Amino acid sequence: EFSQLFAFTCMANIFTPEMLVETLSHPDTPLLEPDRAEGFLRGNPGKVWEVYYGKGHYAVSLLDSGLCSVFARSAQVDSVQSGFELLVSKAPSPLESKKITGSKAGPNDSDLTSTAFVWSRPGENLDIVFTLTTSKSAIDPPVQAMASVALSKSEP
């Protein structure tokens, strides 16, 4: 469910964030109140929707900068990891996929595990960056999985 929701929301609309806003602007996916949204936005301007998908309860955020994320309060970490890698480890042609490892992928410690992939087209300086961070404990903040996608300028 988590990977499907990420694919249908963030991945499908990386170049068309206005379509994501239109899709999620529905009574079944209410915007979170500012005090509840702040934990997902972390001081950045944007929107956060509450989404029930399948058996799960999620939040989908879209920052004004274009960063789109899906958050799960609880998740089967191994399943989320394998689903994420299945989605982003192979880029559609003519794009190429590269795995980012270590601290460059995000926080990696005894509780947090981050995995990142970059899709790029040879000779162009625009990358699509996918990141998944999971938590074994999900205590603070109470999120066990977060997947995000953003556009980034790469060095020539």
Side-chain angles (χ1 to χ4, degrees):
E1 289 178 359
F2 180 85
S3 296
Q4 288 176 346
L5 182 61
F6 180 66
F8 295 150
T9 56
C10 294
M11 284 182 75
N13 294 289
I14 185 61
F15 292 105
T16 56
E18 66 282 355
M19 293 294 294
L20 178 64
V21 171
E22 184 178 320
T23 299
L24 293 177
S25 295
H26 189 276
D28 291 339
T29 53
L31 276 171
L32 291 182
E33 296 296 323
D35 60 325
R36 289 183 59 211
E38 179 54 35
F40 300 102
L41 297 174
R42 304 252 180 208
N44 296 295
K47 295 175 172 48
V48 182
W49 294 266
E50 185 172 26
V51 178
Y52 289 91
Y53 183 74
K55 296 178 182 177
H57 183 198
Y58 304 95
V60 176
S61 71
L62 179 62
L63 301 185
D64 290 356
S65 66
L67 176 74
C68 182
S69 303
V70 173
F71 299 86
R73 182 171 305 218
S74 63
Q76 294 179 345
V77 172
D78 292 340
S79 176
V80 166
Q81 181 72 37
S82 62
F84 179 80
E85 289 198 18
L86 186 65
L87 274 177
V88 301
S89 63
K90 294 183 181 174
S93 181
L95 301 175
E96 297 175 350
S97 179
K98 177 183 173 188
K99 187 172 186 175
I100 306 300
T101 58
S103 62
K104 290 183 179 182
N108 282 290
D109 57 31
S110 61
D111 180 51
L112 299 174
T113 302
S114 295
T115 304
F117 288 85
V118 174
W119 289 2
S120 59
R121 184 182 299 194
E124 293 188 8
N125 68 340
L126 182 65
D127 293 337
I128 305 170
V129 182
F130 301 95
T131 306
L132 173 70
T133 300
T134 58
S135 169
K136 293 176 186 150
S137 64
I139 294 173
D140 184 34
V143 171
Q144 195 154 27
M146 180 207 69
S148 64
V149 60
L151 297 175
S152 174
K153 297 278 186 180
S154 59
E155 296 182 21

